[in-house]
Amino acid sequence: GWRTLATDFPNLKVANRGIGGDITSGVLYRLKADVLSLNPTGIVLLIGTNDVGDGADGADVAANIRLILLAIKDFNPNLKVIVCKVMPRSDGGQPIHAERIERINSLIEQFTKGEPNFAICDTWGIYADEKGAPNPEDFKPDHLHLNAAGYGVWKKALDPVMAKLDLAADKAK
């Protein structure tokens, strides 16, 4: 849904490989053909909310994200990966699965700590209120998908992480 990627990151060559409704097993299935075959210098990974919405166990979601990251590392151990935390979601303003999402995010963060080419982008904390519900000003009325303002918030969160991994938007790649 991020339709302004090219203009938001004008000095980077971007390829949006996100698919609405996708789950972690879908990314695992298509990772090589749809992403790694492009020989990227960096990857921004956001996945997991649809697994949670489908009732998947949090440990299984985290394990699949870990498998995605291991497949990327196996493909190229020097490839830089920004791992976005699973974002909050709600139904009518009430948080859905906040504890499960926080657990997934914690497991993924623990795994990435020992990986110098992986970095976390906190797409939970920038959007969640004190109850774990998404900030309504950043999401569409479905409380699941970002609106234009929400993408702006995400971009601001990505910029320093990109700089940390030497993928800064001010560098042509």
Side-chain angles (χ1 to χ4, degrees):
W2 196 338
R3 305 209 192 296
T4 59
L5 268 174
T7 54
D8 289 340
F9 299 98
N11 297 327
L12 296 176
K13 184 177 177 182
V14 297
N16 188 344
R17 293 301 189 238
I19 296 176
D22 206 0
I23 57 175
T24 54
S25 61
V27 172
L28 279 166
Y29 178 77
R30 64 186 183 82
L31 181 65
K32 185 175 181 182
D34 288 358
V35 179
L36 300 179
S37 67
L38 299 174
N39 285 318
T41 56
I43 294 173
V44 176
L45 178 68
L46 172 68
I47 192 69
T49 193
N50 293 321
D51 296 74
V52 171
D54 288 346
D57 179 76
D60 292 340
V61 177
N64 278 350
I65 294 171
R66 185 176 182 271
L67 287 173
I68 293 165
L69 295 171
L70 288 171
I72 293 168
K73 185 177 176 181
D74 186 54
F75 172 76
N76 178 351
N78 298 313
L79 188 55
K80 311 290 183 158
V81 182
I82 298 173
V83 184
C84 297
K85 290 184 176 185
V86 178
M87 294 179 183
R89 54 187 296 148
S90 73
D91 182 16
Q94 297 302 312
I96 300 177
H97 314 295
E99 288 180 13
R100 189 176 343 156
I101 293 171
E102 288 184 281
R103 177 73 177 137
I104 293 165
N105 289 338
S106 175
L107 290 169
I108 294 307
E109 195 165 19
Q110 288 172 24
F111 173 71
T112 61
K113 279 186 180 174
E115 299 293 333
N117 292 318
F118 296 169
I120 292 288
C121 181
D122 185 8
T123 44
W124 169 267
I126 62 174
Y127 295 121
D129 69 12
E130 66 281 348
K131 296 179 187 175
N135 297 325
E137 62 271 8
D138 296 322
F139 286 80
K140 292 181 179 178
D142 65 3
H143 305 282
L144 178 62
H145 299 96
L146 294 174
N147 60 27
Y151 283 111
V153 171
W154 190 5
K155 183 199 180 317
K156 286 180 185 175
L158 279 171
D159 284 340
V161 183
M162 287 181 163
K164 176 184 173 185
L165 291 179
D166 199 25
L167 292 170
D170 62 349
K171 297 176 74 175
K173 292 282 182 183

